[in-house]
Amino acid sequence: PSGGAVHRLTPEDAGWTWISLDVRRLAAGDRIDRPGDGSEVLVLVLEGTCRVRAGSTVFDTVGSRASVFDEPPAGVVLVAPGEDVEVEARTSALVAIASAPGGDVRRTAHVAPGDVLVEARGSGPARRVIKNLLPPSAEAGRLIAVEAYTPGGNWSSYPPHKHDTDDPPNESQLEEVYFYRFARPTGFAIQRVYTPDRSLDEVMVARDLDLVVVPRGYHVVGAAAGYDCWYLNVMAGPDRVWRFTVDPDHRWLMDWDPARPSAVAAGDDGGGPRDR
């Protein structure tokens, strides 16, 4: 895409119902204008600093890092359906704007960096660090968003799991998108997406700035050795609940409890090399 656009994903593009995602690179002074509609919107300042206006509310400084591998979490502004959005870059910036049809909760708010829970998941070669930008516990209508840091050689979204079936209280139906960055631009990860009956079974190479959609099926990510990996996850579905089913073949590898997040120690929150 041109005009600073890195990705523009619509439900029609993805063949699904809920998630739209617009990722753009901005120079200082560049602006994004998005008219209000029936969608809940999430502005994510992934790199750089921006001024964000949501309706009549102005958040003067959103974002506080030069790289997704720096310590602070992404800048986050949740925008209620119907409110116009204006994003103006104060520095060069990488911005993602996610949206989904509005839900029952309609709220506009800036998520302060100190309010973002940073947790460790897994152990050994499956250890990764998650920053819960807009977790299921947050007050929001439809969208869920996290960013994950996976050291090179480690596995993430692990063990393989799925959330494509409305089966409470066991599983919820959520579409999901992955947006990738690597500490070195030549880095890559392997992502597999597959259904229990293998009618969908795809293995793909995810490179820097790539986007992967997961409409259904189990999914898992392996970062190539030597290439620290970061990705943004956005999820949405008919209900704002994150319940998943682990692939029975790999359930024995489940070594973390989603109901009891494990906060990471200071200085161990997912920051990594900035050699890009």
Side-chain angles (χ1 to χ4, degrees), residues 169-182:
N170 303 309
E171 187 176 334
S172 53
Q173 181 186 347
L174 292 169
E175 300 164 351
E176 184 169 17
V177 62
Y178 285 68
F179 173 61
Y180 283 91
R181 300 246 48 198
F182 292 89

Side-chain angles (χ1 to χ4, degrees), residues 6-273:
V6 179
H7 292 287
R8 287 177 179 159
L9 178 73
T10 68
E12 292 74 23
D13 296 329
W16 59 25
T17 302
W18 302 101
I19 299 173
S20 298
L21 184 68
D22 187 1
V23 182
R24 301 198 200 182
R25 284 191 185 279
L26 304 178
D30 285 353
R31 201 171 79 181
I32 302 171
D33 292 293
R34 186 187 188 284
D37 55 23
S39 297
E40 179 179 63
V41 175
L42 192 63
V43 178
L44 300 156
V45 182
L46 303 178
E47 297 178 345
T49 304
C50 295
R51 175 184 178 273
V52 178
R53 179 181 64 80
S56 60
T57 305
V58 175
F59 304 99
D60 197 56
T61 303
V62 179
S64 57
R65 64 188 187 189
S67 163
V68 297
F69 292 94
D70 289 346
E71 181 176 333
V76 180
V77 174
L78 177 68
V79 183
E83 295 193 341
D84 297 341
V85 177
E86 178 187 281
V87 180
E88 182 178 353
R90 294 193 172 277
T91 66
S92 59
L94 180 66
V95 177
I97 299 179
S99 61
D104 292 337
V105 176
R106 294 169 176 250
R107 184 172 76 110
T108 294
H110 175 225
V111 180
D115 292 336
V116 174
L117 172 65
V118 180
E119 62 171 305
R121 291 182 187 167
S123 59
R127 188 181 187 278
R128 63 276 193 195
V129 174
I130 308 298
K131 296 178 181 178
N132 292 277
L133 304 177
L134 194 71
S137 59
E139 185 184 353
R142 192 76 68 182
L143 293 163
I144 297 170
V146 303
E147 55 183 359
Y149 167 75
T150 308
N154 279 24
W155 288 82
S156 196
S157 293
Y158 196 81
H161 62 281
K162 72 181 185 76
H163 37 72
D164 58 12
T165 303
D166 183 19
D167 180 26
N170 303 309
E171 187 176 334
S172 53
Q173 181 186 347
L174 292 169
E175 300 164 351
E176 184 169 17
V177 62
Y178 285 68
F179 173 61
Y180 283 91
R181 300 246 48 198
F182 292 89
R184 292 175 177 268
T186 52
F188 66 96
I190 302 298
Q191 181 156 14
R192 185 183 179 199
V193 180
Y194 62 100
T195 53
D197 64 2
R198 304 303 192 268
S199 59
L200 170 65
D201 194 348
E202 297 290 339
V203 178
M204 61 209 84
V205 177
R207 299 180 176 86
D208 194 39
L209 299 174
D210 275 355
L211 195 71
V212 173
V213 298
V214 182
R216 63 190 185 279
Y218 299 114
H219 40 283
V220 66
V221 175
Y227 293 108
D228 292 344
C229 170
W230 170 97
Y231 57 75
L232 169 71
N233 277 150
V234 176
M235 293 180 276
D239 295 306
R240 196 172 177 275
V241 180
W242 184 55
R243 299 189 184 100
F244 58 87
T245 300
V246 174
D247 184 339
D249 289 345
H250 308 295
R251 188 178 291 132
W252 67 277
L253 292 162
M254 189 67 180
D255 61 355
W256 59 281
D257 184 351
R260 302 180 65 183
S262 176
V264 302
D268 186 26
D269 63 353

